[in-house]
Amino acid sequence: MSTDENTLLAFGERYLYQNYRQAPMVLSHGKGVEVWDTSGKRYLDMTAGVAVNALGHAHPAWVGAVSDQAGRLAHVSNYFFNEPNLHLAKRVVEATGMTRVLFCNSGTEAIEACLKLVRRHFHDNGAPERTRIIAFDKAFHGRTMGALAATGQATYRDGFGPLGPVTHVPFGDLDAVRAAISGDVAAVLVEPVQGEGGVVPAPAGFLAGLRALCDQRGVLLIADEIQTGVGRTGRFLAMEHSGVKADAVALAKGLGGGFPIGAMLCQAHLANALPPGSHGTTFGGNPLASAAALAVLDTLDKEHLLQRAQASGEHLNGRLMGLMKKYPQKLVATRGLGLLQALETANTVDTRALVGLLREEGLLVTIAGGQALRFSPPLVVTREQLDEAVAIVDKVVGGLS
Ligand code: PLP
């Protein structure tokens, strides 16, 4: 028996903790890049659950793998190995060029694992004073206390202090990083493209400069690839665009294609930093999550989704550029890498209201950095679907007063 949409929305208002700003509709099902709400309205999904549904909704390979695994073995705990997890470990280590992987359940947990890895590494190697992290203004690394300390946005941090030792410096400013590296600094934590901060790619040479600086000063480099990883930017890791290898990498979002899973990957010199008992989680790398992630990795290869993300991203960026030229008073910038793209609105535009108008016209996008529309569609998106999305933005922005 289905429940009508207004009744469901009333449940949300009455029972849910009111800390999300959810749109007033209830999503019911999806197929590829399309989703439908419980009233039957269809939307083109340019959010992919914030860069999560890499294969789109209900991809047959993903559904088959998850269903099959659910009927076989869903969870066993980390007291035992499980088959899909061992296959996944091999695949994800090979895909990233790292040495070892530790699984968890979300992005913020992957960051926590990286922070604990770094802390314990220096503790056990005669430099316990190295506890400070350098992170960047407008960075987003998650909301647990460690990840929140590294997040560089007041809206997320306010009211939760005191937070761990982190120094924030402007993104892209190598001199500021150099000046901030004091004797207590353990690591630099960086997103190769700042996602929540507004879809801002690192400036040319910045990541290579960070790598060189970290090497000179004995500081570790951690890449937060939670939003950018698993093919989103056209490479498996966005760091590959600049040829830089971090000491540790955090993955989540796209890895499970909609099933919660995160991962901390590290190079050999960090492989023993977290001995048994020092870190872990009940659900991390369970068979069901691992089967989902394996289906994602298989399908990335089979459907050439990295190449497609690169080409589709260029196409989308070109189309967004066209819109910007058409509406110079309303749209002021486009930027991004692969299928993580942003269209920044003038500060005279109420971006939140614009997102609502786009939704009414059947297009789902999110806001990043306060003033930008973020496009992070499934990697399987077609040019026709991108063109349809752009046509909706054209119509709605053209109608703004
Ligand atoms: N790091 C980055 C770059 C993110 O984009 C996010 C989520 O948006 C996180 C960390 C936190 O991930 P999660 O929401 O899975 O905890």
Side-chain angles (χ1 to χ4, degrees):
M1 233 341 203
S2 62
T3 310
D4 73 87
E5 194 159 74
N6 285 335
T7 306
L8 290 170
L9 289 171
F11 288 169
E13 205 168 300
R14 165 63 185 82
Y15 297 111
L16 282 177
Y17 200 94
Q18 303 288 302
N19 72 323
Y20 292 113
R21 244 182 254 130
Q22 279 152 321
M25 89 301 202
V26 182
L27 290 171
S28 130
H29 60 284
K31 187 79 198 144
V33 182
E34 298 169 296
V35 286
W36 286 263
D37 68 19
T38 48
S39 76
K41 183 173 164 66
R42 171 223 185 232
Y43 303 86
L44 204 51
D45 183 9
M46 292 290 136
T47 72
V50 195
V52 167
N53 305 98
L55 309 183
H57 300 280
H59 190 291
W62 189 93
V63 173
V66 172
S67 312
D68 182 60
Q69 191 62 46
R72 188 187 297 265
L73 188 70
H75 177 79
V76 292
S77 90
N78 283 304
Y79 283 97
F80 313 101
F81 292 119
N82 73 77
E83 238 177 314
N85 188 245
L86 295 169
H87 284 295
L88 177 64
K90 176 174 188 293
R91 291 288 295 278
V92 77
V93 162
E94 285 173 358
T96 54
M98 291 281 141
T99 305
R100 294 202 178 262
V101 59
L102 179 65
F103 291 105
C104 54
N105 311 293
S106 70
T108 197
E109 283 185 33
I111 292 293
E112 291 295 334
C114 288
L115 296 175
K116 286 181 70 176
L117 176 85
V118 162
R119 179 75 66 93
R120 190 67 185 256
H121 167 76
F122 284 110
H123 176 272
D124 291 355
N125 283 279
E129 70 286 0
R130 287 194 183 251
T131 56
R132 181 169 295 279
I133 302 293
I134 295 179
F136 296 93
D137 296 341
K138 301 206 175 103
F140 185 82
H141 297 294
R143 298 164 191 263
T144 51
M145 295 307 264
L148 182 63
T151 289
Q153 302 187 48
T155 35
Y156 302 113
R157 298 167 58 87
D158 280 356
F160 295 109
L163 294 165
V166 177
T167 302
H168 289 97
V169 298
F171 186 57
D173 187 342
L174 212 48
D175 289 335
V177 180
R178 191 175 291 109
I181 297 184
S182 45
D184 65 346
V185 169
V188 175
L189 173 59
V190 67
E191 294 163 90
V193 180
Q194 284 196 329
E196 300 306 303
V199 187
V200 184
F206 180 59
L207 297 170
L210 277 185
R211 180 70 277 178
L213 190 53
C214 287
D215 289 345
Q216 270 167 26
R217 307 287 288 270
V219 166
L220 296 169
L221 180 63
I222 310 169
D224 180 343
E225 294 255 13
I226 289 161
Q227 192 156 152
T228 52
V230 197
R232 170 115 330 249
T233 71
R235 303 283 176 91
F236 193 83
L237 295 179
M239 296 292 275
E240 292 172 36
H241 290 280
S242 40
V244 172
K245 199 165 170 180
D247 298 289
V249 176
L251 289 181
K253 288 191 182 280
L255 182 60
F259 201 98
I261 183 168
M264 176 280 282
L265 292 118
C266 67
Q267 292 205 48
H269 53 279
L270 295 172
N272 300 313
L274 291 175
S278 63
H279 191 61
T281 166
T282 300
F283 295 115
N286 87 5
L288 202 47
S290 300
L294 265 180
V296 170
L297 300 189
D298 278 347
T299 310
L300 285 189
D301 287 350
K302 276 199 194 114
E303 300 189 7
H304 311 291
L305 293 182
L306 269 57
Q307 295 88 322
R308 277 173 63 182
Q310 171 104 22
S312 305
E314 281 162 21
H315 178 76
L316 176 59
N317 187 269
R319 298 299 314 272
L320 296 177
M321 203 88 84
L323 281 183
M324 203 178 89
K325 291 199 182 114
K326 189 169 174 186
Y327 302 109
Q329 312 295 329
K330 304 265 186 289
L331 305 173
V332 294
T334 69
R335 55 181 177 261
L337 206 53
L339 278 176
L340 184 57
Q341 294 284 335
L343 179 59
E344 185 155 335
T345 58
N347 50 23
T348 49
V349 173
D350 179 342
T351 316
R352 197 169 292 285
L354 175 59
V355 167
L357 293 172
L358 293 169
R359 192 174 59 244
E360 278 167 29
E361 290 298 321
L363 177 66
L364 301 184
V365 290
T366 45
I367 299 179
Q371 204 66 46
L373 301 179
R374 170 177 38 191
F375 296 77
S376 55
L379 306 185
V380 296
V381 70
T382 63
R383 285 187 174 205
E384 293 68 31
Q385 288 164 327
L386 292 172
D387 290 347
E388 186 188 344
V390 169
I392 296 173
V393 179
D394 191 348
K395 179 180 166 197
V396 172
V397 172
L400 292 178
S401 52

